[in-house]
C-alpha cells in the first residue's frame, strides 16, 4: 500500500453479505464520504431505490504489488436507510480477487488505502490468511465508522491531533501579530481586510490563500472565530462554515437577473446592487422577502426523502430564486469538515494596521456527515448569510462578485459533530 502511495489505510472485516452481488456495506450514515476520495456526487432517480452515486479512482493491489484499475467502482448512497455501499469493484478489472469478493465467507478482510492524489487502493485477504493474525496482534486500533485505521509502516505518520495542537501553541505564544496573508507563491503580504484573522492564522500555519475544498492543515479544517476577550473563548461570534454557490434557481440561470430582482441598491456605495440578509429555514427575510425551504427532507427521521430536493430560497410567488441540490450539499460538506479545529481570535485595530492574537484553548470537532449539517439547517442553527454584489451596475460592463456563506453561532457548533471537545494547545 505504502509503495503505491497510500498515506492512510482502512480495514473492514467483511460479513457474509459483503460481496460483489450484494455490495460492500460501508456504514449506516454518509460519514464514509469524509474518508474515501470520490468524484462528484450525482443523484440517480431511476432505480427502484433512488440513490446518489459517486465514482472512485479505484485500484486492486495485485500479489506482485502492482495497482490494477477497477474503472467501474463507485460509492452508492441510499438515503432511505441511510447507508453507503461499495459497488462495481470487480467489473472491468483484469486482475482482481473475484473468488474472495464473490463468496459469502465471513471474516475476510478488505483493506482500502487512500493516496494524496485521490486514488483508492484495495486489497482483500481470506479469513485464514496470516495477515488476519497480524492485524489482531496490533491490538486496539483507532476506528472510523466501520473501519479500523492503520498507519502504513513505510510512511512517517505523526499524531495529527498532537501536531496540530503543538503548532497552534507556537502561534499562541507569539502574542500579538500583524495581519498578513500568505500568497500562493509563498510570499507573505500585509492584509487589511476584515477577515484578516483567518488569513493571518493560516499564514502562520503555512497555508496559502486559496479556495480549495480540501482540509487546511494535516487533514484538519482550521477555523478562527472572533472573541472580545481570550479569557472567555466560549463567548464566540458567528463562524462561516462554508461558501457554496447555488446550482439551481434564478441565481444559477442568470445571476444579473437574480441580483436586479431580489437585490437592492447600496445605501453606502453609488451604483452598487447588494444582496444581503440573514436567511433562516422557515422564516421569511423581511428585507429580501425570500424564505429558505428544505424540500425533500424529513425533519423527524433526519432523512432525505427526495434525492432531487435540496435547499431552496423561495420568493412570495413560490419561484426558486436560488437552490442547492442535496448532491451538491453532500459533496461540499464531506470534502473538508470531518476534522475541524476552532481557534479563538482577538483583534486590535491600530492606526498602523490590524493585529491579532490567538487563544490557548481550542475546540475540536471530529466525525461529521452532511445529514448533521442539513439537520442544523432545519433547526435554524445554520443560516444563509449572502454577500454577492454588482458594482457599476448601470455600466456596460458591471462587475459581479459572488459570495454565498453558510454560518453558525459558536454555541451551536457541537451538534455538527459526533465528538466535540475542548483542548489546550501544547
Amino acid at each position: 500500500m505504502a509503495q503505491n502511495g497510500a498515506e492512510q489505510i482502512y480495514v473492514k472485516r467483511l460479513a457474509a453479505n459483503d460481496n460483489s452481488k450484494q455490495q460492500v456495506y460501508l456504514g449506516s450514515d454518509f460519514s464514509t464520504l469524509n474518508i474515501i476520495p470520490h468524484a462528484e456526487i450525482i443523484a440517480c432517480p431511476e432505480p427502484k431505490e433512488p440513490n446518489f452515486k459517486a465514482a472512485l479512482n479505484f485500484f486492486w493491489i495485485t500479489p506482485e504489488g502492482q495497482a490494477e484499475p477497477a474503472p467501474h467502482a463507485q460509492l452508492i448512497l441510499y438515503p432511505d436507510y441511510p447507508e453507503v455501499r461499495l459497488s462495481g469493484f470487480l467489473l472491468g478489472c483484469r486482475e482482481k480477487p473475484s473468488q474472495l469478493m464473490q463468496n459469502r465467507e465471513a471474516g475476510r478482510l478488505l483493506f482500502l488505502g487512500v493516496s494524496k492524489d485521490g486514488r483508492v487502493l484495495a486489497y482483500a485477504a481470506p479469513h485464514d490468511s496470516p495477515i488476519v493474525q497480524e492485524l489482531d496482534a496490533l491490538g486496539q486500533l483507532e476506528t472510523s465508522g466501520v473501519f479500523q485505521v492503520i498507519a502504513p509502516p513505510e510512511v512517517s505518520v505523526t499524531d495529527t491531533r498532537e501536531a496540530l495542537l503543538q503548532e497552534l501553541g507556537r502561534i499562541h505564544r507569539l502574542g500579538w501579530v500583524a495581519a498578513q496573508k500568505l500568497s500562493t507563491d509563498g510570499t507573505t503580504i500585509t492584509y487589511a481586510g476584515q477577515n484578516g484573522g483567518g488569513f493571518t492564522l493560516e499564514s502562520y500555519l503555512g497555508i496559502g490563500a486559496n479556495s480549495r475544498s480540501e482540509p487546511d492543515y494535516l487533514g484538519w479544517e482550521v477555523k478562527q472565530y472572533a472573541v472580545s476577550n481570550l479569557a472567555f473563548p466560549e463567548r464566540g461570534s458567528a463562524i462561516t462554515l462554508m461558501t457554496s454557490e447555488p446550482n439551481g434557481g434564478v441565481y444559477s440561470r442568470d445571476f444579473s437577473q437574480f441580483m436586479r430582482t431580489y437585490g437592492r441598491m447600496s445605501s453606502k456605495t453609488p451604483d452598487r446592487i447588494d444582496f444581503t440578509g440573514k436567511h433562516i429555514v422557515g422564516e421569511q427575510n423581511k428585507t429580501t422577502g425570500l424564505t429558505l425551504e428544505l424540500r425533500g427532507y424529513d425533519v423527524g427521521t433526519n432523512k432525505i426523502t427526495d434525492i432531487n430536493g435540496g435547499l431552496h430560497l423561495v420568493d412570495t410567488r413560490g419561484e426558486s430564486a436560488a437552490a442547492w441540490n442535496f448532491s451538491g450539499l453532500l459533496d461540499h460538506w464531506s470534502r473538508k469538515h470531518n476534522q475541524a479545529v476552532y481557534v479563538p481570535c482577538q483583534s486590535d485595530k491600530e492606526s498602523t494596521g490590524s493585529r491579532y492574537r490567538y487563544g490557548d484553548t481550542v475546540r475540536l470537532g471530529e466525525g461529521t456527515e452532511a445529514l448533521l449539517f442539513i439537520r442544523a439547517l432545519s433547526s435554524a442553527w445554520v443560516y444563509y448569510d449572502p454577500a454577492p454584489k454588482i458594482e457599476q451596475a448601470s455600466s456596460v460592463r458591471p462587475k459581479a462578485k459572488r459570495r454565498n456563506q453558510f454560518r453558525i453561532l459558536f454555541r451551536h457548533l457541537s451538534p455538527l459533530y459526533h465528538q466535540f471537545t475542548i483542548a489546550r494547545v501544547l
Side-chain angles (χ1 to χ4, degrees), residues 28-30 78-82 294 296-305 326 369-379 415 418:
S28 59
D29 56 28
F30 295 157
Y78 295 98
D80 287 347
Y81 300 107
L294 273 171
Y297 169 76
D298 187 289
V299 178
T301 61
N302 190 33
K303 290 182 180 180
I304 294 171
T305 57
F326 281 132
E369 57 153 326
L371 286 176
L372 295 179
F373 174 75
I374 294 170
R375 185 173 65 185
L377 275 168
S378 72
S379 303
H418 296 303

Side-chain angles (χ1 to χ4, degrees), residues 99-407:
Q99 184 176 355
L100 269 175
M101 296 308 297
Q102 287 173 346
N103 70 44
R104 294 178 55 83
E105 178 186 90
R108 295 160 293 152
L109 296 182
L110 175 64
F111 295 85
L112 295 179
V114 175
S115 71
K116 191 173 184 179
D117 59 4
R119 287 173 297 132
V120 180
L121 308 168
Y123 182 81
H127 77 285
D128 55 355
S129 169
I131 203 170
V132 177
Q133 284 74 46
E134 290 187 38
L135 179 66
D136 291 338
L138 294 178
Q140 189 71 25
L141 295 173
E142 178 187 349
T143 61
S144 180
V146 300
F147 297 101
Q148 292 176 283
V149 185
I150 307 171
E154 290 86 350
V155 178
S156 176
V157 177
T158 61
D159 182 340
T160 60
R161 191 178 193 271
E162 181 177 340
L164 172 71
L165 293 176
Q166 287 180 344
E167 190 65 4
L168 292 175
R170 178 187 68 83
I171 296 170
H172 162 70
R173 290 187 289 274
L174 292 175
W176 289 105
V177 293
Q180 63 182 40
K181 181 179 180 180
L182 188 64
S183 62
T184 53
D185 63 4
T187 58
T188 301
I189 57 177
T190 301
Y191 187 77
Q194 292 185 348
N195 56 345
F199 282 125
T200 302
L201 177 60
E202 290 177 352
S203 73
Y204 278 93
L205 288 169
I207 304 167
N210 60 68
S211 57
R212 296 180 310 122
S213 59
E214 288 78 30
D216 294 322
Y217 186 80
L218 297 177
W220 290 82
E221 171 73 353
V222 179
K223 297 280 190 183
Q224 63 84 37
Y225 64 95
V227 295
S228 58
N229 190 332
L230 289 180
F232 303 99
E234 69 281 358
R235 301 176 185 175
S237 62
I239 297 168
T240 299
L241 292 172
M242 68 181 190
T243 56
S244 178
E245 281 289 293
N247 50 20
V250 178
Y251 185 105
S252 67
R253 296 194 301 271
D254 190 331
F255 175 72
S256 178
Q257 180 187 346
F258 170 88
M259 292 295 293
R260 295 175 192 279
T261 302
Y262 304 108
R264 64 188 185 278
M265 297 304 300
S266 172
S267 59
K268 297 180 179 179
T269 305
D271 204 24
R272 189 180 82 186
I273 302 174
D274 294 331
F275 180 77
T276 58
K278 182 178 180 180
H279 293 76
I280 297 172
V281 167
E283 289 186 20
Q284 185 185 53
N285 181 281
K286 294 180 179 179
T287 302
T288 66
L290 301 176
T291 304
L292 268 186
E293 295 181 0
L294 273 171
R295 296 179 176 177
Y297 169 76
D298 187 289
V299 178
T301 61
N302 190 33
K303 290 182 180 180
I304 294 171
T305 57
D306 180 2
I307 63 170
N308 292 314
L311 183 67
H312 289 255
L313 192 61
V314 182
D315 64 21
T316 54
R317 298 165 297 172
E319 182 174 3
S320 182
W324 298 258
N325 59 33
F326 281 132
S327 55
L329 291 175
L330 290 171
D331 199 30
H332 200 116
W333 184 256
S334 68
R335 291 193 183 275
K336 64 187 300 184
H337 294 92
N338 193 49
Q339 294 185 131
V341 59
Y342 296 90
V343 183
C345 171
Q346 184 178 359
S347 64
D348 180 30
K349 309 294 183 182
E350 296 183 323
S351 58
T352 56
S354 300
R355 60 178 189 164
Y356 301 92
R357 62 177 180 176
Y358 302 92
D360 63 353
T361 303
V362 300
R363 268 63 176 177
L364 299 171
E366 299 174 79
T368 187
E369 57 153 326
L371 286 176
L372 295 179
F373 174 75
I374 294 170
R375 185 173 65 185
L377 275 168
S378 72
S379 303
W381 297 332
V382 173
Y383 58 92
Y384 173 52
D385 192 16
K389 61 185 177 182
I390 294 181
E391 297 175 320
Q392 302 173 24
S394 62
S395 68
V396 178
R397 294 183 179 179
K399 297 180 180 180
K401 181 178 180 181
R402 309 182 184 213
R403 184 168 180 83
N404 294 277
Q405 305 172 119
F406 288 91
R407 311 191 78 199

